[in-house]
Amino acid sequence: MSRHVAPPAVLADGRALSAAMLRRLFVGQCLVLALHLAFMPAWLAGLAALVAGYRYLQLRRRLPRAGVVLRLAGVAALTGGLWLHYGTLGRMESMIGLLLGVYLLKLLETHNRRDARVVVLIGMVATTVAFLHDQGIPMAAGALLAVAWLMHSLVWLAGATSARQAWRESAWLLGLAAPLMVLLFLVFPRIGPLWNLPQAERAATGLSDEIAPGDIAELSRSDRRAFRVRFEGAEPASDERYWRVYTLSEFDGERWRRVSPERLAAGLGRELRDLVAEGPRSPWPDDAEPRFTAELLLEPDSRPWRPALGTPLESDERLRWLADGTVEGLVPLASRSLLRLSSSGLAPSWPEPLGERWHTRLPDDTNPRSRALAERLWREAEGEPRAFLAALMARFGEAPFRYTLSPPRLTSRDRVDEFLFESRAGYCTHYASAMAVLARSVGLPARIVAGFLGGERHPDGHFTVRDYDAHAWVEVWLDGAWQRLDPTAAIAPERIEQGAEAVEDGGDAFLADSPFSPLRMRELGWVNRLRLDWERLEYRWQRGVIGYRDESRSAFLVRVVEELHALWGALLGLLPGRGLLAWLVGLALALGALGGVAAGLGLAWRRHREGRDEALRIRRLQAWLAQRGMPPHDGESPAAHLRRLADSTGAAGPALRDCAHQLERLRYARLGPAERRTRRRVLSRRVAEVRRRLARQGVTG
């Protein structure tokens, strides 16, 4: 006979839960909560501790069971806390917080197996929801650990007799699910979200649609990633990597602002179609050919901006193409996304539909000294725009002007005057703002472009652009096209060639908000190699797994078919008599397929007979048990046989008892058709459970 296995230790009796099982459920809750803590209020961890403490005292008979009033008070407190934290319950973050809070509070009313299963299933949902925050490798590894623990708890609730058996069955279930998961991932079409939840404002680029001198200098303190890019074909040189995000054409004396096409059309009486268009390619005439084709891996952002290397020309998806030479998505990015974009690398060559006058506007009675300086330099250049602009660039390149990451604060009303004639120290926005004002003062159309310059090139060929790469420069309408002018190239050419970290003046401000950034240790070779290896792995994960789209799926399936066809041809080519062999192999495959169909039909017919004849099903179960050394005694009925074995088969015992019970009800009770069908289905599941559990236990006679 088989060895006797003790009943489960985590269950106090047939239904009630022991303290050990409650601890296991709480550990699972902690694992799930850990996936969310970096994105959710930390006080949710305090809520988990309070719930666990209350259940512990309740089990020690020091507190009563949580009643309806206490549970409703907990839900009300949770809802109020989320409302105070987020200001609303309608955003995605607050809804996730509500799910997590209810998941934690559920432990207060968990007293039996059914409640425990509900807790585990809610944990599965909360684990899946964690991927709304992030889809990186750490999140995937943490989710796998949480799912394994939850599956282990579920198996133990089903009657596992030991931790080893529970882990073995959990691994078996996860192993069976893994091939199906991979197959569905590779071949199943991607389905868009069935609904969209509003999200909190979350900007990845760090840029805003208005800037003042000194704003972008603050971004040098952060190493937050803005986007990653891989070029198809030629890569731009370091002084060509100007990533346009948006243009700013309205100046109030202190700040430069972007004006949306909708506002411009309404304010100036223009048609919106004159300023923006939708489609896969730019509708604006441009003589430039696509020089660069880039695959962008964009970070989530609450704004629809899309960076482009110079003027964007064509994309693999529908975008909004603006007349100022920038591009934006139709919707903000809720998660990381891939975008293929071709661009010219140059400033736009078409005239602004708003006309030159819009880009020469300046507020009255501001920055008088700057206006006077511009008029003097214009006279000295004899009204020649190129000579005038060259004089401006030369002036910025002379002492006492200096480029610094820690510029002095400008407080006066005439901030350009204060910068040009007093502080003479600033960041890219100081010089770009001053140059645009000086150009407009003499009637030259000018605007500021905000975006990024540079990016770190990784050994595998992709670039990473971060907050500290944020940059601002000037575009001037000259000789029938917009011309890019960057005064930073005159005052700090090392910023153009090597990035913000190369600027010595005020270098203490670089990465000041990221004290533990691995970028601070780039001088240590082994640390830098580890950082680059991790970023390469993470990039490939995001691009290959998270960015796996319909095009990738189609290409993968085509490649698989081609490889199989090539393999089949190679096998036939290795053997003589290719024509005859191919015919014989085809015949064998056809016969095998017919045999498989016949076997499947036979199995289906057998199951159909067993489904209508419970006695036949039990006889076959008894025969299967007899083969394993557990035959019935002489004169012993099938139900008595199963009940006798139930006492010595451990985890299979409850299923054997239920088989005997269902058999007796089906044979002797007066049942209606619906109940008879239900009991036959239950009997079928119990028979399968007996076979599965005894096979895993290795029961022998």
Side-chain angles (χ1 to χ4, degrees):
M1 297 297 293
S2 62
R3 65 182 184 274
H4 178 73
V5 183
V10 294
L11 300 176
D13 53 38
R15 292 182 57 83
L17 301 179
S18 68
M21 190 64 222
L22 289 173
R23 283 196 301 269
R24 182 161 299 278
L25 294 176
F26 178 68
V27 171
Q29 288 182 328
C30 291
L31 291 175
V32 174
L33 187 62
L35 302 176
H36 294 267
L37 272 186
F39 312 93
M40 302 300 295
W43 51 263
L44 283 175
L47 175 64
L50 286 175
V51 172
Y54 189 96
R55 284 311 310 268
Y56 172 77
L57 294 176
Q58 185 262 318
L59 289 172
R60 297 293 298 271
R61 309 291 184 180
R62 297 179 183 178
L63 286 175
R65 281 192 177 187
V68 175
V69 175
L70 178 60
R71 283 177 278 163
L72 290 178
V75 173
L78 168 68
T79 306
L82 291 171
W83 181 275
L84 293 175
H85 188 90
Y86 292 108
T88 179
L89 294 178
R91 294 193 181 277
M92 184 185 73
E93 290 82 358
S94 54
M95 291 185 177
I96 294 176
L98 189 60
L99 171 65
L100 293 178
V102 171
Y103 174 48
L104 297 172
L105 291 172
K106 180 65 179 176
L107 199 61
L108 290 176
E109 60 174 9
T110 300
H111 302 289
N112 54 44
R113 295 194 199 189
R114 176 187 174 280
D115 295 334
R117 291 190 185 100
V118 171
V119 170
V120 172
L121 293 178
I122 297 177
M124 295 284 190
V125 175
T127 301
T128 304
V129 167
F131 287 101
L132 294 176
H133 301 303
D134 181 67
Q135 300 90 35
I137 296 176
M139 179 64 76
L144 179 61
L145 176 61
V147 167
W149 185 271
L150 294 173
M151 183 65 69
H152 180 234
S153 301
L154 201 60
V155 170
W156 215 335
L157 284 168
T161 57
S162 65
R164 175 177 296 182
Q165 180 192 0
W167 280 119
R168 185 170 60 247
E169 293 195 15
S170 300
W172 182 73
L173 290 172
L174 292 174
L176 285 179
L180 179 61
M181 177 188 69
V182 173
L183 180 64
L184 290 176
F185 172 81
L186 291 175
V187 304
F188 198 77
R190 296 296 180 265
I191 299 177
L194 300 180
W195 64 85
N196 288 314
L197 295 177
Q199 302 183 45
E201 294 295 320
R202 179 172 56 176
T205 64
L207 297 172
S208 64
D209 56 1
E210 62 177 53
I211 61 173
D215 283 357
I216 289 183
E218 295 297 318
L219 297 180
S220 68
R221 305 168 64 90
S222 170
D223 68 343
R224 186 170 54 175
R225 187 167 50 221
F227 59 92
R228 285 167 286 188
V229 58
R230 179 184 294 274
F231 291 96
E232 301 176 7
E235 295 181 358
S238 58
D239 59 352
E240 292 181 309
R241 295 200 291 267
Y242 282 86
W243 296 95
R244 297 166 58 91
V245 176
Y246 42 76
T247 63
L248 305 105
S249 56
E250 186 178 58
F251 182 60
D252 63 4
E254 296 182 5
R255 307 189 69 84
W256 288 86
R257 292 182 174 84
R258 172 191 178 270
V259 184
S260 68
E262 290 77 11
R263 180 184 160 196
L264 282 173
L268 301 179
R270 302 293 297 270
E271 294 289 337
L272 184 60
R273 63 174 177 268
D274 295 336
L275 304 176
V276 63
E278 293 184 11
R281 59 181 57 87
S282 173
W284 314 111
D286 196 313
D287 298 333
E289 293 292 330
R291 292 181 57 208
F292 305 109
T293 299
E295 181 190 69
L296 297 156
L297 179 57
L298 303 168
E299 295 294 308
D301 202 314
S302 59
R303 299 164 305 183
W305 314 124
R306 305 291 188 265
L309 195 66
T311 304
L313 300 176
E314 189 173 357
S315 174
D316 62 346
E317 63 182 58
R318 290 181 61 85
L319 298 173
R320 278 169 50 97
W321 307 86
L322 278 61
D324 62 2
T326 59
V327 65
E328 59 184 29
L330 302 182
V331 295
L333 294 177
S335 61
R336 289 188 180 95
S337 178
L338 285 172
L339 173 68
R340 188 175 181 273
L341 192 64
S342 298
S343 57
S344 68
L346 304 173
S349 62
W350 64 84
E352 180 79 29
L354 298 176
E356 297 183 2
R357 184 177 178 183
W358 171 257
H359 292 92
T360 58
R361 295 176 53 181
L362 287 173
D364 298 331
D365 302 326
T366 59
N367 301 301
R369 289 186 289 175
S370 299
R371 293 172 184 265
L373 172 64
E375 292 171 0
R376 179 172 63 82
L377 294 176
W378 181 258
R379 288 194 301 269
E380 293 176 357
E382 298 179 350
E384 170 57 40
R386 291 189 177 277
F388 170 75
L389 295 174
L392 290 182
M393 295 287 283
R395 184 179 182 86
F396 288 140
E398 299 173 351
F401 286 100
R402 61 189 179 90
Y403 196 82
T404 176
L405 298 179
S406 302
R409 185 178 180 84
L410 304 178
T411 58
S412 70
R413 178 173 176 268
D414 301 320
R415 297 192 178 183
V416 176
D417 281 357
E418 185 179 0
F419 164 68
L420 287 175
F421 299 98
E422 297 175 21
S423 69
R424 295 188 176 116
Y427 199 59
C428 60
T429 45
H430 294 79
Y431 291 94
S433 177
M435 189 167 194
V437 168
L438 292 172
R440 287 190 173 192
S441 297
V442 296
L444 290 179
R447 63 191 182 190
I448 288 182
V449 182
F452 297 89
L453 172 63
E456 180 185 30
R457 191 183 191 280
H458 291 254
D460 66 346
H462 82 274
F463 292 80
T464 297
V465 180
R466 305 179 186 274
D467 270 0
Y468 60 68
D469 292 313
H471 192 57
W473 60 95
V474 179
E475 287 181 348
V476 179
W477 182 256
L478 196 64
D479 298 335
W482 289 102
Q483 305 290 332
R484 182 171 62 219
L485 293 176
D486 190 354
T488 299
I491 187 65
E494 67 276 11
R495 166 65 182 93
I496 308 299
E497 296 291 335
Q498 304 174 39
E501 66 273 21
V503 179
E504 296 182 1
D505 195 354
D508 292 341
F510 183 68
L511 297 181
D513 292 342
S514 305
F516 303 107
S517 172
L519 292 167
R520 289 178 169 271
M521 296 182 286
R522 280 185 289 189
E523 301 301 324
L524 295 176
W526 67 274
V527 174
N528 198 49
R529 285 193 297 272
L530 287 177
R531 178 183 68 85
L532 292 176
D533 289 343
W534 170 254
E535 291 186 355
R536 178 171 60 250
L537 176 63
E538 205 270 341
Y539 172 73
R540 290 178 177 176
W541 167 268
Q542 294 290 341
R543 182 176 178 270
V545 178
I546 307 304
Y548 187 83
R549 299 185 295 182
D550 290 342
E551 296 83 357
S552 304
R553 178 178 58 85
S554 300
F556 170 78
L557 294 178
V558 169
R559 188 165 61 251
V560 168
V561 172
E562 290 176 349
E563 292 292 337
L564 291 176
H565 186 269
L567 178 62
W568 177 254
L571 291 175
L572 293 181
L574 293 176
L575 298 174
R578 292 180 55 186
L580 178 62
L581 179 63
W583 186 84
L584 292 175
V585 171
L587 179 61
L589 290 176
L591 292 176
L594 290 175
V597 171
L601 291 175
L603 180 61
W605 173 250
R606 174 182 171 182
R607 290 185 175 178
H608 174 71
R609 289 183 58 201
E610 290 183 354
R612 299 178 63 86
D613 188 351
E614 57 276 1
L616 175 61
R617 186 182 295 275
I618 293 298
R619 284 198 301 271
R620 286 178 173 168
L621 175 61
Q622 287 183 290
W624 186 86
L625 291 170
Q627 293 174 1
R628 283 152 180 79
M630 294 178 285
H633 293 168
D634 293 338
E636 188 176 35
S637 69
H641 175 213
L642 299 181
R643 287 196 175 95
R644 175 172 57 80
L645 296 179
D647 296 331
S648 58
T649 51
L656 284 167
R657 293 189 184 92
D658 200 20
C659 286
H661 172 71
Q662 298 298 339
L663 175 63
E664 290 175 339
R665 296 293 296 174
L666 287 166
R667 294 297 298 272
Y668 306 117
R670 302 180 68 176
L671 306 176
E675 185 178 358
R676 184 171 295 277
R677 287 193 299 269
T678 300
R679 289 190 176 276
R680 281 174 173 166
R681 286 195 296 267
V682 172
L683 178 61
S684 176
R685 291 196 296 268
R686 293 296 180 265
V687 169
E689 182 180 352
V690 169
R691 291 173 180 263
R692 184 176 67 252
R693 291 190 178 278
L694 291 180
R696 291 180 195 169
Q697 291 178 13
V699 174
T700 58

